[in-house]
Short mmCIF file of all heavy atoms in Angstrom, two decimals:
data_model
loop_
_atom_site.label_atom_id
_atom_site.label_comp_id
_atom_site.label_asym_id
_atom_site.label_seq_id
_atom_site.Cartn_x
_atom_site.Cartn_y
_atom_site.Cartn_z
N GLN A 35 -15.24 9.85 16.35
CA GLN A 35 -16.14 10.93 16.74
C GLN A 35 -16.34 10.86 18.25
O GLN A 35 -16.72 9.84 18.77
CB GLN A 35 -17.49 10.78 16.05
CG GLN A 35 -17.40 10.76 14.55
CD GLN A 35 -18.73 10.41 13.93
OE1 GLN A 35 -19.65 10.00 14.60
NE2 GLN A 35 -18.82 10.58 12.64
N GLU A 36 -16.07 11.95 18.92
CA GLU A 36 -16.25 11.99 20.36
C GLU A 36 -17.38 12.93 20.72
O GLU A 36 -17.40 14.07 20.32
CB GLU A 36 -14.97 12.47 21.03
CG GLU A 36 -14.16 11.36 21.62
CD GLU A 36 -13.01 11.89 22.42
OE1 GLU A 36 -13.24 12.56 23.44
OE2 GLU A 36 -11.89 11.62 22.02
N LYS A 37 -18.33 12.41 21.48
CA LYS A 37 -19.43 13.23 22.00
C LYS A 37 -19.61 12.86 23.46
O LYS A 37 -20.19 11.84 23.76
CB LYS A 37 -20.71 12.97 21.23
CG LYS A 37 -20.67 13.44 19.80
CD LYS A 37 -21.97 13.18 19.10
CE LYS A 37 -21.88 13.64 17.66
NZ LYS A 37 -23.09 13.36 16.92
N GLY A 38 -19.12 13.67 24.36
CA GLY A 38 -19.21 13.34 25.78
C GLY A 38 -18.44 12.06 26.06
O GLY A 38 -17.26 11.97 25.83
N GLU A 39 -19.16 11.05 26.55
CA GLU A 39 -18.53 9.78 26.87
C GLU A 39 -18.73 8.75 25.77
O GLU A 39 -18.44 7.58 25.94
CB GLU A 39 -19.08 9.26 28.19
CG GLU A 39 -18.72 10.11 29.37
CD GLU A 39 -19.25 9.54 30.66
OE1 GLU A 39 -19.90 8.49 30.65
OE2 GLU A 39 -18.99 10.16 31.70
N VAL A 40 -19.27 9.17 24.65
CA VAL A 40 -19.55 8.23 23.57
C VAL A 40 -18.43 8.29 22.54
O VAL A 40 -18.04 9.35 22.09
CB VAL A 40 -20.90 8.56 22.88
CG1 VAL A 40 -21.14 7.64 21.71
CG2 VAL A 40 -22.03 8.47 23.88
N HIS A 41 -17.90 7.13 22.20
CA HIS A 41 -16.87 7.04 21.17
C HIS A 41 -17.42 6.16 20.06
O HIS A 41 -17.82 5.04 20.30
CB HIS A 41 -15.59 6.41 21.72
CG HIS A 41 -15.02 7.18 22.87
ND1 HIS A 41 -14.34 8.35 22.71
CD2 HIS A 41 -15.07 6.96 24.20
CE1 HIS A 41 -13.97 8.81 23.89
NE2 HIS A 41 -14.41 7.98 24.82
N SER A 52 -18.83 2.92 21.96
CA SER A 52 -18.52 2.62 23.36
C SER A 52 -18.94 3.80 24.22
O SER A 52 -18.72 4.94 23.84
CB SER A 52 -17.02 2.37 23.54
OG SER A 52 -16.59 1.31 22.74
N PHE A 53 -19.54 3.51 25.36
CA PHE A 53 -19.94 4.58 26.28
C PHE A 53 -20.12 4.01 27.68
O PHE A 53 -20.16 2.80 27.86
CB PHE A 53 -21.23 5.27 25.80
CG PHE A 53 -22.44 4.38 25.74
CD1 PHE A 53 -23.38 4.38 26.75
CD2 PHE A 53 -22.64 3.55 24.64
CE1 PHE A 53 -24.50 3.56 26.69
CE2 PHE A 53 -23.76 2.74 24.56
CZ PHE A 53 -24.69 2.73 25.59
N SER A 54 -20.20 4.90 28.66
CA SER A 54 -20.39 4.51 30.06
C SER A 54 -21.50 5.35 30.66
O SER A 54 -21.72 6.49 30.25
CB SER A 54 -19.11 4.74 30.87
OG SER A 54 -18.08 3.91 30.41
#
Side-chain angles (χ1 to χ4, degrees):
Q35 302 172 349
E36 258 188 64
K37 292 182 181 177
E39 294 182 0
V40 176
H41 301 284
S52 301
F53 62 99
S54 296

